[in-house]
Amino acid sequence: MADTFTTRTIDVTTGSQETVYDLTTECASFLQEVADGRDGLLNVFTPHATAGLAIIETGAGSDDDLLASLHQLLPADDRWQHRHGSPGHGRDHVLPAIVPPHATLPVIGGALELGTWQSVVLVDTNRDNPQRQVRLSFLG
């Protein structure tokens, strides 16, 4: 099984503001090391109650549009039952129900099979936690 399943945790610094952090290069590098030209699946998971993963276009404004949409859907105000942390922090705990903490992606010939404009991103609206972890797991 050691050659069919490989996993690694990477550390990501998201800082003290809401962010959409592109993980595509880290995913591709991981697969280059472990997939050895094989087909399979890449699972990406973040073990946090206030962050999620998405597949979106980056660099053309979609990342900012995503954060703006989340602001409209999940305002950072005092309406939330969960109230510790910075104002509106309760909405950060609702985020993973909308932007899930996992994604499973196809790997073909050892490479991540994404569409032309697709990127794998970590979505983090929690300004109170600037350090995140992401687990990359390849099943070949």
Side-chain angles (χ1 to χ4, degrees):
M1 177 96 173
D3 63 338
T4 60
F5 182 79
T6 306
T7 189
R8 174 176 305 149
T9 301
I10 59 173
D11 295 316
V12 176
T13 300
T14 56
S16 59
Q17 41 186 347
E18 298 175 1
T19 190
V20 174
Y21 182 92
D22 193 339
L23 296 165
T24 310
T25 300
E26 287 94 334
C27 291
S29 294
F30 171 70
L31 290 171
Q32 190 171 25
E33 287 180 41
V34 303
D36 196 29
R38 294 176 291 158
D39 295 348
L41 295 171
L42 174 68
N43 181 266
V44 186
F45 175 74
T46 187
H48 299 283
T50 58
L53 295 157
I55 310 300
I56 65 168
E57 178 181 9
T58 58
S62 297
D63 33 2
D64 291 333
D65 290 342
L66 175 58
L67 291 175
S69 296
L70 290 171
H71 269 276
Q72 289 179 352
L73 188 61
L74 303 171
D77 58 23
D78 64 356
R79 74 182 70 200
W80 307 100
Q81 300 290 321
H82 186 105
R83 293 185 183 235
H84 80 272
S86 61
H89 175 66
R91 65 129 184 186
D92 299 327
H93 286 274
V94 177
L95 174 77
I98 296 164
V99 181
H102 58 87
T104 301
L105 306 164
V107 176
I108 307 297
L112 194 54
E113 187 72 11
L114 292 173
T116 302
W117 305 112
Q118 290 181 318
S119 296
V120 181
V121 299
L122 175 69
V123 180
D124 187 0
T125 59
N126 182 0
R127 298 181 317 250
D128 297 335
N129 188 355
Q131 297 298 119
R132 299 298 185 161
Q133 290 186 329
V134 176
R135 177 169 295 282
L136 305 175
S137 301
F138 174 68
L139 178 62

